[in-house]
Each structure stands twice: as C-alpha cells, then as structure tokens.
C-alpha cells in the first residue's frame, strides 16, 4: 500500500538541511542533471546535491554491486529503464514515498501502486530523418515506410542488447500489430547498427545515414534546436514510450534530504527544466512543451509492460533477424 | 713472518652491516601482486563457477562452449587481435628504426609525438575516425567524392568494417611496440653491427640478421601487449564493430552486464582470455629460447646511424603518414569538432568555455586524473621494475610465476576487472570504494602488464655481470638495482613511467565502475559527454589531455633523476 | 685451517660438468694463480667463490665459515670480496672516477677520503688523466685498468682477478703485476688470480693451481710446478716442453726412437714398459758439432727457426719425423735444412708418471 | 704502389687527437703488426681502415683506390675486409656455427660448402664441440676463438685483427698464431695485426709498426726493430732494456755514473754532451767474480731475484742507486743482498739518438 503523500514542509526542509547532502544516481544527461541539482541547491541552501551521473545500465549495475556489498551510497536513484525498478522493488531496496505532485497529477500507469517509485521522466523512441538529405515529401511517414527498398542501406538503428530504450521500444513494437514480422523485414534493409539509443540521431546529424529507424527523441530535439536539420517522425502505428523512474533507496544515508529532493524532482519547476533543457517528456500536466515540439497528447503512444519483458527472447530474435 | 697492519682502516676491512632487502622485497612484491591480481581473479573464477544461490555449477562454461554467437565473437576477437598485433608491428618496427637509427629529420619530435599520441583514449580515437572515415559523412570520403565526383554513398574507406576496426585499434596500440623497439634499438652495441658490415653485409642485411633479431624480445613483448590490449579492448569495438555487423568478445561480455545481468557468464567468458595470455607468454619464451640478447662492454657508444640519403623523403613520408593516421588527422578532426558547432557556420570557443568554466566536474577531474596518473606511474614503474628484475635475474627461488601474475591482468576486460576490484575493495572492513585508493589499485593492476613487459624486455639487454660487479663490491641487490641497473635502463624506465601515466589517463572501462562524484576522472567525463553526444566538449577535453600529457612526457624525458644526460653508451 | 677452502666443489651447465669435485685450500694472505687452458673452468671457479653461482655439490668456506653450498649460499655482497671480470663489466653510465669510487662510497667513506683513495689508485693504474671519461670512450687496455682499479681500491679481504692484464702491453703488464703484488702484500688480501700467462703466474704467485677440464691437475709453488710437473699435461702446459716416449732401459734411462737413450736426473721411475721423458725447450742444447756426451744426444736437422730477439726458437726434426724444440741464444743462427746435434742433459730430463 | 696506404691520417675524439698524421704503406700479402702501449691509437687506426670511423684528415687507399677521406668514405661492407674486435662483438642470438657461417652465407656460398668451410675453421680453432652453443654459454677464450674463426673463415682481401689472442693460454696462442700465419700465407691476405705481445709480433709479423700516442715511432722488420731501435721509446717498448745515461767519453764510449764506461758497438754516435745507452736485460752478463774486461763492467748488489722457470730475472742496484736488470740462466741463483759483477758487452750496447 502506498504511503500518504507528503509535501516539502519546513520541518522536512530543516531536517534535510541538517543532513546537508543528497546523493543522486542519475541516468539523465549530465548537463540537465547538473542544472537540476543547481536549481535544488538554490532553492534549499545548505543541501548539496551530489550527482552521480552514468548510463542507465551502469547505474543499475552499480546499485546492484553496492547493495550486494552492503554499501549504501545512493539516496535517490533514477534510470531510463523501467525494468530496473521492478528488480529493485523485488529486492526490497526501495523506500515508499509519494510526493504530493505525484499523488495529484500522475496517472496510475506512471507510478508504482505501492508508492515505491514513479515515472520521473519519459522519452520516445522515434523515427527521424535528415531534412537536408531527404526532402520532407520523400521522408518516411510510418514504420511500414521504412520497409521500402529505397531505404536499404540508408538507415541507422540502435541495438536492444545495449540500450534499455531500444529494448523497451522493441518490446512495444513487437507486441503491437506490426509484430516481429516488421523486424524480420527491417533486418533485410542493410541497417547500420549502433549501440546506444543516443547515437542514431548523431549519425543523422553527421549525415552518415539519412534516416533513423529508432533512437531517442530528446536527442533529436536537442540537435534540432541547436540548428541541425533533423526532424522526428511520429508513425501512425504508434511510437514506443520509454519511462524513466525514480525512487528513494531504503538505506539512504540522507533519508530526509532524499525525501526533499525526491519531492523536488516531481515539481513543475524541475519537470519544466527537464523538458526545456533535456527535451524530455513529463507527466506533469502543467509543464509547457517548447515551441515546435509535438505535445505528447497528439502522439499515438505504444506502452509496454516492463514486468512482461523477456529480454533474452528479444535479444535472441533480434540477433536472428539483424545478425548482431 | 706476520706483520701487523695497523694502517688498514677498519671501515674498509668490512662493508657496513647491511641486510639484503631483496628477499623481503620479493615477498612484499609477491604479496602486492597477489592483492592486485589474484584477488580480483579469484573473484572472477569464483563467480564463474557458482550460480545465483552460491551453488557450484558448470553451466556458465557449458554455455561458453555451446553458445554459437559467443563462440563466433571469440573467433572474431582473436582474429582482430592478431591483426592488430601484426599491423602494430608493421607500423612500429620501421618507424622505431627510422627514429632510433637513422638521420631522419625531426626524429625526436616523432618519438615524443608517438608517445603522446598514445594518450588518446582508444574510444576517442575511434570517434575521431568515425568523423574521418565513416562511409558517408566521413571527411576523407566526402573529400574523395568531391575530388573524383563519385556518387553519394560510394566510399573510399569504411571504418565500419573488420579492417577499419583493426586499423583504428592498431592506431592506439602500436606505440607500445614502437617504444619498446626504439628503446631496444638504442641499446644494441654498434660493435655487433660493425662486425656484420665488415663481413660484407649491406645495411639491410645487417638490419635483418643482426639488429632486428637483437630487439626481438622487445618486439615480441610489444606485439604481445598489442594483441592482448586489442583482445580486451571495449571502447573501439563498441563504437565500430556493431555498425560493421559483428560482435567481439568484449562487446558480448558487456551485453552480459545488461538486464538481466549475468556476471557469472561474463566472468567465465573472460577466463579463456587468460588462457590465451598464458599461451602467448609461453610462446614468447619458446621463441626467445636459450639465445642470448646481451653483450657486455661493447666498445664505442654511439649506435650506428644510417644515413638515409636519397631515401630521406621516403622516410619522412612514412613517418608523416603514420603520424597523420594516428595523431594529426584524428586530432584535426577533433579540433574541428572542438571549434565548430553543429549546424552553425564559423569557429566558436563555445566548447572551450563550457568545458573550462561551466562544467563543474572539469577541474576536479583534471586534478584527480593527473594526481592518479603521476602516482600510479611512479608506484607502478617501481613495482614493474622490481618484478622484471626478479623474473629476469631469478635471485629468489620461485619468481618465475611473478611474470605470469604481472601479465595476467591484461587478459581481463576492464569492465570485468572493474567488477572484481569493486567486490574486493568494498567491504565494511576495507572500504576503498569512493576513494582515490581504489582507482590507484585498479590502475596499478591494469597497467602492470604493459609496464612489466616493457621492463622485462629491457632487462634482456643488460648483462648480469654489470650487476654482479656492483654486488661483489658490497652493494645489496636492491642498491644495485637502484645505482646500476635502473640508470642503465634509463630510457626504458622513463618510457615505462610514461606508459603507465598515459595508460592511467586514458583508462576507461574499469574506471567507470569505480569512480564516484568525488573521484571523477577525465576519461569518465568524456565517456559521459559522449552519451549525451557532446562532441565539441569531448574534443576539447581530448585535446587538453593530449597537450598536458605531451608536456608531462617531454618533462619526464628531461628528468635528470636517472643518471646524467651524458651517456655515450646509452644515449 | 686454511682461510679459503673449496671442498669437493662441482658445477654443471646444461648437464655438462665444468667444475668437478674441486678441492683447494688457500692460506690467508696467499696469492694463488689458477692456470689452465681456455674453457677449463677457471672463471667458473672464481664465480663460485664470489657467490654468483651456487655449486651443485661441495662447499666453500672462508675463515671456517661456510659461505657456499648447494641451496645455502651467502650473497656476494656479504663476502667482502672484490673481483675483476674477464669482460671488465664496467658501468657504462658512470665515469672512470665514479666506477672506481663506487665501492668506496658503498663503504661509507667520507667524500674527501674516497676522492683521495680513488686518485691514488687511478694514478697507480695511469688513469688519472682519464678520470672524467666514460668507459665507452676508453681503449680496451684502459678499460681493463679501470676494472683493475675498481677492484683494488676497496682493499677487500679476498681479491678475485680474472685475467686482469690480458689486454696490456708487456711493460704495463709488469708494472701492474707489481702493483697488484704490492697491494696484496701491504693489505694481506687473499688473492685468487686467473691468468693464461705462465710468466705472470710464475713471477706473481705463492701457489700455482693448474686446472684442466674442471679438475686440478697439480698444486704447488712455482718452482715445484715448473721443475716437478706431476703429469704430462702440467709439463706441457707450464713452459715449453718436449715429450719423448720410449721404453725403460735400465733404472734411470729411457730408450727412445732414433737410437736416443735418455738418462733422467729426476722424475718418477717405474718399471713398467712405456715411459715418457720431458725436457724443456730451453734446456735442450743445440750445436753444429757432436757434443761430448755418451748418452742423451741425437742428430737431426733444423726444420724451422724463429728469431725472438732475446733468443731463437728452433724446431729440429729427428730422422723418424719426431720433432724437438730448442731455445738457444739469439746469436746462434743455423738456417733450416742444416744438420745439428741435440744434447738433452740428464739433469734436465724428467721421467713422468702416466 | 703499396696495396694499403694510409696517408697523413688524423682522428680526434672530443678535441683530443688520438691518431696524428699517420702514414703507412703495406704491400699486398704482408702481415703488419701494430705494437704500442695501451691507448696509443691502435684500435682507432684499425677502425679507420675498416671504415667504422671517418678520418678528420688524410686518406686511406686500397689498391690505389681511395676508400676513406674526410666526408667521402666507402661503407665498411664494400671493403672486402674482415675484422676481429677487441670486444669480440659476437652476435649473442646466433650459435657459434651461425656466427661463423654468417660471412659465408653473405658471400652466397652453397649450403654444403659453407658448412664444410665453417667446420674446417671450427676444427682449427678447436671449437667443433661447441658449434651449437650460444656465445653467452662460452668461456672468455672460447668467445675469442669464435671471433677469430668468424673473421678468418671468409678469406677476405684484408684482415684486421685487434688483439685476437689476448685471452688464450700460451700453447693455444702459439697454435692460433700459426694458424693465422698459415691462412695468411695460403690466401695471401693483407693483414694488420694489433697486439700487445712483443713475442707474438716478433714471430708473426713481416713488418712491425711501433706506435706511441697516435704517431708511428718506427717501422721495420722484427730484427730491425729489435736490434736497431731508433728511439728510446722503441728500445724500451720492444724487449726489456736497460737505459743508462752518461756523457760522451771518446768516439764510441759513454761515461756513466759509478765509474762505468760503456763502449758501444752500434747506435747513433753524436758529439753532444748527454748520451744514453741501451742494453737488453738478457744481454747483461752477471757473475759473482770480476769479468775479464776493461770497460763495460760495474759492480752492484742483487736487489731482487725472480725465478721464471727457464731463467732468472735479477734486479741489481748500483752504488748510486741506479738499477740494472739482467736475465740469466735459471741455474745461476744468487740471493738478494750479495755483491755481483755486471758485464755489458760492447756489441750489445747501443747508443741512442735522444
Ligand atoms: N669515443 C672516444 N671518445 C674519446 N676518446 C676516445 C674514444 N675512443 C677512444 N678514445 C681515446 O683514444 C685513444 C686511443 O684509443 P684506442 O682504442 O685506439 O687505443 P688502443 O691503442 O687500441 O689501446 P688498447 O691497447 O688499450 O686497446 C685512447 O686514449 C682512448 O682513451
Ligand atoms: N652458461 C653456460 N652454459 C653452458 N656451458 C657453459 C656456460 N658457461 C660456461 N660454460 C662452459 O664451461 C666451461 C668452463 O668455462 P669457464 O668460463 O669457467 O672457462 P675458463 O677456464 O674461464 O676459460 P677461459 O680461459 O677461456 O676464460 C667452458 O667449456 C664453457 O664452454
Ligand atoms: Mg674465463
Ligand atoms: Mg685497442
């Protein structure tokens, strides 16, 4: 059962200030995470945020390592792979807590029923193209378009074996009406494989490939906003939504500061910053998307259930179709 | 008739009483190596044979044998590593010769540049090469298309290929071979070459039959390091192998750490690499055999310098080509990335401003990096010197396995080693995690093989009688090592120091598991920035590393600490 | 009890024994020369004494204390010895002065004292001019003298010299020999001196040890070794010797080929059948006319004649093809081919055991 | 025109001239010995001839062709020479056989021929047993012989030997000397032989060149050098010599201290004031009683006496403290301290220019 929601009361602030520090294991982009930390420090003077930024899988592994060795460094943890939190929860490492904003605004799909974690951020795994290399009219409009032979040898894509985002996306797409058949056909398109979901947008930007079959939406945003000619495509078949959760750890060394910071993470202020600087999607209804970004509400989303994820099968099937 | 000799001073009658510290030193070193190497290895071995619940199992090894993709990735990795070894030798040996034994203009600069270029983290090099030689966007290909008017999507070079990967790795492993061979060449007494030429051997024959065989130990040691580094390298394959459509063993292992993690299988998969190391070591001693590599008291110091004459342009071209491919072009690409912004025309100092003033981690990371670099280099060189001495001179029984121990870490992929080290040093009783100490230990472990191989190759060139001459006069082994051997090995000791220093600075795969906010290092920052695609900042950091390391390398070579600058027999 | 004792020392290299069950006792303050053909194990013996290699069997005692035995050897630096290496083993990174002063510094001598001692020995070895040179800038003989200076300057208890003068000219060699002997006598080292030069051994040693193939053939004073060699090997090796074979012909006479009957003034007289007689080259008298002696004379013809400045070296063929060498004063010059008489005085003929 | 000509050769090291304006002509097929004290520039001269170093001035011609001159030297490998290095310079990574066969392979000999020739020379240098060893596994003398074999086997046009026998015992040295001379005569090399051993030079050389401090003191046949040394240095250096100083006392006599008047049978007679007379050690006659001569005799006392096996070496002090050395037969033993007469026969007294 979820505990009662809590606010950033003066008592909590005082207790947190007494602890003076909070350690945040984050998979968010460094620049975004650093900005968020500074914002928190500005708002609650006397509490330092120590950002331990790393890739999602690294954080997962590190928490596993540390808890396996009874080291309790982390106060708040946050990764972009929803499945990690199921694991943490199963291990009993999470401290239930429900910030008031989460209680008020978050839909039930986006928070743990037991209040142990909530969706801190989300991003999409989108199709995109380089507008300089592909005129808008000729650009692919859907997943089905990608199977057109004219894109053979011209697409880049990330690998589910290395990227949680793509793993989630692959799960979502394979469970959608497109099914595994889509991947089987896509596998014949001589696709350039990269590891991380952050890389395909960069390949587009560099002009190495004109089209990406999947990859992070927020990278596309950030690149586009810095002037790179790339454009995301929201396919009618649906675009996989990838949720990044956050949670307080049970054995946090700074429990009060953790609570305060955890609360802060879900405030409009923080969420807006995530969106503006990081290009991330937020479940906070008051967050305003930057101009030129298609709002979440206008996109057909493909949700996936992390508890049903069969990573091994997906990796195996993928290797069968794509050869790596 | 016995005459009393009152005037014989007592001080001379008997040297001061002195304990031979070597035996204890050997034990201490053995203990240190055990701690550095055996602990994490034992952890690996243990994890490979237990399942989740701590029960004994051979399932991991069964998987290793039956899993076809895994086996295939092993095969490719071995082929790649051998390719890298061969290519490294093919580049490094001629270049080392040009630099050490010819009148090539600017050879000192070439030498310093090669060593410094070495500072490039391989994955950064791979990124630079992506910028240069990706089939479509690669600058070289773009340039080529402009030049020849070839069709879009036609490519001159494709870095995303097996060959491209081998090349990109060799760019950053050949300095091992280069430094070892160049130092070896410095030590070949000119008498031996003179003896060959007076019998009628042309320069080339002398080189092939006398000079090169004499640096064979160095060449083999270098090739071995190159091969093993390639085998366990993660960064470059991660960036280049997947787009090329294949896996190597390290990228496979990496994916084993993904959810659901299989550390047991990852551990098991690294053990065959250990086997390969042992085989290579064995092969090396088999090749060297009973042959001698040392000569004593060769007259006349100056190694013979070959006049290139009309071949000078060829020599320059070759050196320039190698430097271009390994240093100049990649850094030009990085410089371009550092000075421009995506989609914005013109030059900008934005990235520099960001790295130096906005990015909070930079200063701390720089400090940590150089602090660790210098301390690891100093301690590591000392340990490697002692280990190489113990193994090559066998003063204490049973030192042979020290060599094995000191070389073993090279076979373990950094990430696996990182996990092992983490588990070893994060107990409530021994809590090093989160401090710089664990990084120091990690670096010492990781850099031990290169340092050890370098110095043990160098010991092949020092005649034991030079040490004996010191000992019979009353110097203990350690003192002899310090006063006689180390100064004789001056260039090698300094090169080892630089190796370790640079290796430390560019190390990533184990580091990334062991750093925390207070112990951030530059390589980790670069890696993090890479995830967010911040090429500009990465390039700035990369260039900064190069510049600082270059300065350190040059300084280290000027250090007068080991013997004077005037060393005719050694140069 | 002798100062330096080698007891049943053996050393094998790759299966082949190079020192075999070697025993030797050297008194304190003695200078012992090891003599023997190339490859007989002299250097190996020195290296065993120095402690660079461990014996496979046997032991070495110094002053009664065991310092070497299989598996239990004292480190070289504890032996208070000093050594000259056949290869010099100079440290190429140190100047001549530093090479020489090294041992003094190790002994903690004050700077000025070290300087003074080093200067003294450098002057004695005629290296004062070269003190600041590096070994690579020296000639072979100069290098050898540096090696000598380095070993002598520390005044060790035991001094080991491995062919210390091989690259010096005769005058310098003699001077250095005197210097070695002088320092030896002054500080009463115990010295083991390996040389291939018999004259050097004869003039310098208190005791000569002749080695062959890893074993000691004979030990004795120079006169003993020279005048009473016990084996054919020693006779041949020390000073030029003619060996004539024959059969016993009476108690003290041996009948050789060519009708030559040799009465022997010394040696081991046996009654066996075969016999050998040794006569040194310079004891053979050579003349154009027949000498006035009954026995011990034979006629032959000059096969070769070499002028050596102070004397001449003749090779004389006897009728059956055997040859005898004789050393004569330089004034007696007989061209090859001429017939000469040889007289081998009985007092110089020595019958040999074995 | 001589085969090998050195004309005005000079070489400086770090400012100091070590070979100074050296000129020498060697006929084809001659064996020349370079003799001289340690550090006089012998090795440097050889290395100049071999082409390892370039002269600072002067030139070297072989068969009339200029092969060395400042800035224009032919590479060593084109000179068809072969050399023994003072440091041996054996290749440690090759077996003895490979070291020796190296030059043969370079000359493109067939496998079997190379094998056969290498075997022959290995047998001659008594190394056949060691053919498969590596140099590091050999004794010093064995290494030197490998170096010798390696240089001899290729039958070069010019052979350069730098103290090739310094580490061998007397018997082996003699054998090797004969072997060198035999091969030299057989293949008519031109040989330049550096040695510190006068006896070796006397017995082997056609021509002896005595060097000192980078210049040639005298060139001549062994007899010439020995019997008619032109300078005090040569006299001292070749064979042991006593030098007695005095003043001219008549045309051919020199009055020395102690009332000794020496009539000189040869030498350079001058009318200057100061004079020097050289008498070789072995030409001095030593006796207990007064010799029957008018001049050339003096009385002294035995200061030291060394037994050398074949003879004895006396040091006799004259009343004013000067010393004279004499070599006598081994039989004549006079203990130190006793008074003796010295006779220095006029025919052996040589007056010296300067
Ligand atoms: N590289 C050098 N730098 C300076 N001086 C040198 C160098 N090499 C040789 N010399 C000097 O040149 C002189 C001649 O040397 P060289 O080797 O020719 O002598 P050598 O006659 O062969 O003597 P030895 O009989 O001792 O071998 C010596 O005094 C030596 O110190
Ligand atoms: N490392 C080795 N391996 C095998 N044999 C060796 C080794 N070292 C020496 N020998 C052999 O041992 C024998 C004795 O060698 P040692 O050096 O003692 O001879 P030596 O009497 O000093 O001769 P020399 O007068 O030539 O220097 C030689 O026959 C040599 O070949
Ligand atoms: Mg020896
Ligand atoms: Mg010399």
């Amino acid at each position: 059962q979820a505990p009662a929601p809590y606010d950033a009361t003066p008592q909590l602030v005082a207790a947190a200030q007494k602890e003076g520090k909070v350690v945040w294991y984050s998979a968010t982009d460094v620049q975004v995470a650093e900005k968020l930390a500074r914002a928190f420090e500005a708002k609650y003077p006397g509490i330092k945020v120590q950002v331990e930024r790393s890739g999602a899988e690294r954080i997962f592994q590190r928490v596993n390592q540390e808890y396996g060795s009874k080291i309790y460094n982390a106060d708040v943890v946050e990764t972009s792979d929803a499945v990690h939190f199921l694991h943490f929860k199963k291990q009993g490492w999470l401290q239930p807590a429900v910030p008031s904003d989460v209680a008020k605004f978050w839909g039930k799909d986006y928070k743990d029923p037991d209040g142990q974690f909530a969706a801190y951020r989300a991003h999409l795994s989108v199709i995109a193209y380089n507008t300089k290399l592909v005129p808008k009219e000729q650009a692919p409009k859907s997943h089905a378009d990608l199977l057109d032979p004219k894109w053979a040898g011209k697409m880049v894509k990330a690998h589910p074996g290395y990227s949680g985002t793509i793993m989630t996306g692959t799960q979502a797409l394979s469970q959608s009406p497109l099914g595994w058949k889509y991947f089987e056909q896509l596998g014949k398109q001589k696709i350039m494989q990269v590891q991380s979901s952050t890389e395909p947008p960069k390949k587009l930007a560099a002009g190495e490939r004109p089209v990406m079959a999947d990859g992070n939406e927020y990278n596309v945003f950030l690149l586009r906003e810095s002037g790179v000619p790339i454009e995301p495509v929201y396919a009618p078949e649906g675009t996989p939504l990838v949720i990044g959760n956050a949670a307080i750890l049970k054995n946090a060394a700074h429990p009060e500061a953790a609570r305060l910071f955890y609360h802060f993470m879900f405030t409009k202020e923080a969420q807006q910053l995530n969106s503006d600087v990081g290009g991330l999607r937020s479940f906070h209804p008051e967050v305003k998307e930057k101009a030129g970004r298609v709002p979440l509400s206008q996109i057909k989303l493909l949700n996936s259930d992390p508890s049903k994820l069969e990573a091994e099968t997906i990796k195996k099937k993928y290797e069968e179709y794509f050869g790596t | 008739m016995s005459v009393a000799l009152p005037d014989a001073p007592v001080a001379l009658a008997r040297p001061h009483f002195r304990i031979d510290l070597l035996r204890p030193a050997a034990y201490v070193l053995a203990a240190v190596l055990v701690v550095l190497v055996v602990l994490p290895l034992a952890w690996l071995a243990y994890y490979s044979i237990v399942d989740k619940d701590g029960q004994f199992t051979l399932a991991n090894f069964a998987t290793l044998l039956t899993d076809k993709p895994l086996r295939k990735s092993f095969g490719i990795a071995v082929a790649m590593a051998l390719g890298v070894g061969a290519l490294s030798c093919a580049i490094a040996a001629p270049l080392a010769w040009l630099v050490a034994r010819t009148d090539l203009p600017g050879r000192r600069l070439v030498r310093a540049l090669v060593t410094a270029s070495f500072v490039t983290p391989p994955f950064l090099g791979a990124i630079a090469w992506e910028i240069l030689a990706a089939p479509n966007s690669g600058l070289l290909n773009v340039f080529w298309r402009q030049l020849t008017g070839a069709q879009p999507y036609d490519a001159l070079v494709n870095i995303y290929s097996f060959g491209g990967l081998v090349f990109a790795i060799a760019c950053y492993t050949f300095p091992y071979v280069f430094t070892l061979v160049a130092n070896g060449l410095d030590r070949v007494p000119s008498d031996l070459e003179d003896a060959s030429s007076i019998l009628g051997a042309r320069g080339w024959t002398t080189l092939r039959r006398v000079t090169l065989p004499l640096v064979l130990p160095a060449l083999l040691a270098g090739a071995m390091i190159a091969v093993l580094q390639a085998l366990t390298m993660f960064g470059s394959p991660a960036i280049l192998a997947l787009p090329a459509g294949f896996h190597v063993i390290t990228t496979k292992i990496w994916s084993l750490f993904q959810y659901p993690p299989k550390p047991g299988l990852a551990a098991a998969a690294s053990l065959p690499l250990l086997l390969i190391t042992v085989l290579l070591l064995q092969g090396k001693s088999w090749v060297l055999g009973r042959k001698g590599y040392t000569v004593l008291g060769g007259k006349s110091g100056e190694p013979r310098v070959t006049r290139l004459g009309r071949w000078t342009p060829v020599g320059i071209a070759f050196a320039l080509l190698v430097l271009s491919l390994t240093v100049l072009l990649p850094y030009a690409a990085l410089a371009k990335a550092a000075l421009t912004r995506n989609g914005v025309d013109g030059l900008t100092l934005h990235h520099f401003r960001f790295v130096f003033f906005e990015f909070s981690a930079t200063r701390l990371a720089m400090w940590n990096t150089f602090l660790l670099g210098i301390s690891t280099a100093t301690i590591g060189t000392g340990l490697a010197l002692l280990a190489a001495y113990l193994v090559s001179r066998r003063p204490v029984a049973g030192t042979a396995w020290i060599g094995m121990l000191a070389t073993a870490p090279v076979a373990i992929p950094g990430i696996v080693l990182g996990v092992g080290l983490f588990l070893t040093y994060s107990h409530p009783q021994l809590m090093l995690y989160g401090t710089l100490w664990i990084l120091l230990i990690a670096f010492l472990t990781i850099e031990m093989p290169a340092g050890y191989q370098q110095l043990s190759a160098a010991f092949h060139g020092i005649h034991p009688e030079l040490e004996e001459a010191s000992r019979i006069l009353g110097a203990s082994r350690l003192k002899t090592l310090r006063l006689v051997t180390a100064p004789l090995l001056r260039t090698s000791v300094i090169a080892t120091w630089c190796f370790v220093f640079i290796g430390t600075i560019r190390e990533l795969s184990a580091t990334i598991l062991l750093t925390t906010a207070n112990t951030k290092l530059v390589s980790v920052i670069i890696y993090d920035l890479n995830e967010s695609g911040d090429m500009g900042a990465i390039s700035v950091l990369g260039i900064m590393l190069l510049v600082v390391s270059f300065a350190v390398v040059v300084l280290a070579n000027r250090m007068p600490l080991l013997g004077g600058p005037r060393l005719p027999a050694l140069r | 009890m002798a100062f330096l004792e080698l007891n049943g020392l053996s050393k094998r290299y790759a299966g082949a024994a190079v020192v075999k069950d070697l025993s030797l006792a050297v008194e304190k303050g003695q200078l012992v020369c090891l003599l023997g053909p190339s490859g007989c194990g002299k250097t190996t013996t020195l290296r065993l004494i120095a402690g660079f290699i461990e014996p496979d069997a046997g032991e070495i005692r110094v002053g009664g204390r065991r310092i070497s035995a299989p598996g239990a050897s004292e480190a070289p630096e504890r032996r208070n010895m000093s050594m000259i290496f056949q290869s010099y083993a100079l440290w190429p990174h140190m100047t001549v002065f530093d090479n020489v002063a090294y041992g003094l510094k190790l002994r903690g001598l004050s700077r000025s004292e070290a300087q003074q001692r080093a200067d003294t020995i450098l002057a004695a070895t005629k290296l004062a001019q070269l003190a600041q040179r590096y070994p690579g800038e020296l000639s072979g003989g100069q290098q050898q003298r540096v090696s000598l200076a380095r070993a002598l300057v520390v005044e060790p208890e035991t001094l080991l010299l491995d062919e210390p003068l091989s690259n010096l000219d005769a005058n310098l060699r003699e001077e250095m020999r005197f210097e070695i002997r002088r320092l030896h006598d002054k500080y009463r080292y115990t010295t083991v001196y390996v040389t291939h030069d018999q004259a050097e051994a004869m003039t310098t040693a208190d005791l000569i040890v002749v080695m062959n193939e890893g074993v000691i053939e004979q030990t004795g004073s120079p006169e003993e070794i020279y005048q009473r060699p016990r084996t054919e090997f020693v006779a041949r090796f020390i000073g030029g010797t003619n060996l004539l074979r024959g059969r016993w012909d009476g108690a003290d006479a041996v009948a050789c080929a060519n009708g030559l009957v040799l009465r022997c003034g010394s040696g081991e007289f046996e009654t066996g059948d075969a016999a050998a007689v040794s006569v040194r080259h310079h004891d053979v008298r050579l003349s154009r006319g027949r000498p006035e002696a009954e026995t011990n004379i034979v006629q032959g013809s000059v096969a070769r004649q070499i002028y050596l400045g102070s004397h001449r070296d003749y090779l004389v063929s006897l009728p059956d093809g055997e040859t005898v060498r004789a050393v004569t004063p330089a004034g007696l010059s007989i061209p090859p081919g001429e017939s000469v008489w040889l007289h081998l005085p009985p007092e110089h003929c020595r019958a040999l055991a074995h």
Side-chain angles (χ1 to χ4, degrees), chain A residues 26-190:
Chain A
S26 170
T28 313
D29 183 85
V30 225
Q31 310 201 30
V32 183
E34 292 270 349
K35 281 220 163 74
L36 195 87
R38 300 297 89 77
F40 178 81
E41 286 169 355
K43 185 163 179 184
Y44 302 107
I47 311 174
K48 243 190 89 55
V49 184
Q50 180 180 324
V51 183
E52 294 274 334
R53 143 71 218 183
S54 216
E57 303 303 329
R58 295 265 178 212
I59 293 192
F60 174 66
Q61 194 204 343
R62 206 158 134 185
V63 171
N64 269 307
Q65 268 178 17
E66 293 185 359
Y67 270 66
S69 317
K70 302 201 169 46
I71 297 168
Y72 308 118
N73 273 345
D75 296 325
V76 176
V77 65
E78 171 259 303
T79 81
S80 59
D81 199 339
V83 80
H84 295 163
F85 287 79
L86 297 179
H87 177 80
F88 296 153
K89 183 176 172 183
K90 207 169 89 199
Q91 301 286 330
W93 294 343
L94 301 181
Q95 172 69 46
V98 183
S100 43
D101 285 295
V102 173
K104 206 158 32 172
F105 300 119
W106 262 247
K108 73 169 178 38
D109 283 351
Y110 304 125
K111 59 187 177 196
D112 178 44
D114 300 324
Q116 297 203 1
F117 55 83
Y120 163 65
R121 60 183 175 99
H123 62 274
L124 305 180
S125 167
V126 295
I127 298 170
Y129 63 97
N130 184 319
T131 55
K132 218 155 142 192
L133 300 175
V134 185
K136 194 172 169 61
E137 327 61 80
Q138 291 171 22
K141 306 278 181 304
S142 65
H143 286 293
D145 281 356
L146 296 181
L147 304 179
D148 188 325
K150 79 171 180 183
W151 297 122
K154 302 205 170 137
M155 282 185 288
V156 57
K157 173 180 191 326
H159 195 285
Y162 299 86
S163 161
T165 299
I166 304 303
M167 178 62 87
T168 311
T170 310
Q171 184 197 11
L173 281 173
S174 66
Q175 287 166 0
S176 79
L178 285 168
W180 277 111
K181 204 164 166 334
Y182 165 68
F183 287 102
E184 190 178 349
Q185 286 168 314
L186 195 62
K188 296 185 179 119
Q189 288 283 60
K190 290 195 259 167

Side-chain angles (χ1 to χ4, degrees), chain B residues 5 9 12-14 16 18 296 299 465-466 468-473 475-476 483-484 487-488 566-567, chain C residues 47 52 75-78 80-81 85 87 89-93 102 106-107 117 134 137-138 150 155 186:
Chain B
L5 290 166
L12 279 179
R14 175 165 288 276
H16 288 312
R18 188 184 302 117
L296 188 55
K299 171 135 170 70
E465 275 191 8
L466 292 177
E468 290 171 353
S470 160
R471 295 185 62 207
I472 197 69
L473 287 175
S476 67
L483 291 177
V484 174
L488 283 173
R566 186 167 152 240
L567 292 172
Chain C
R47 291 173 59 81
F52 299 137
E77 59 265 30
R78 307 267 208 99
N80 198 9
M81 298 181 173
F85 293 78
S87 61
L90 300 180
W91 300 303
H93 62 299
Y102 184 88
L106 285 178
R107 279 160 179 71
R117 273 174 186 280
Y134 285 89
E137 301 167 339
L138 298 180
R150 183 176 71 181
E155 296 164 14
K186 177 164 175 202

Side-chain angles (χ1 to χ4, degrees), chain B residues 299-302 566 568, chain C residues 88 130 133-145 167-169 172:
Chain B
K299 171 135 170 70
S300 75
E302 307 289 303
R566 186 167 152 240
Chain C
Y88 317 157
L130 307 175
R133 292 263 191 94
Y134 285 89
E137 301 167 339
L138 298 180
S139 78
Q142 289 163 345
Q143 289 180 10
Q144 194 164 36
R145 279 178 282 150
N167 266 294
L168 305 180
D169 57 274
L172 202 51

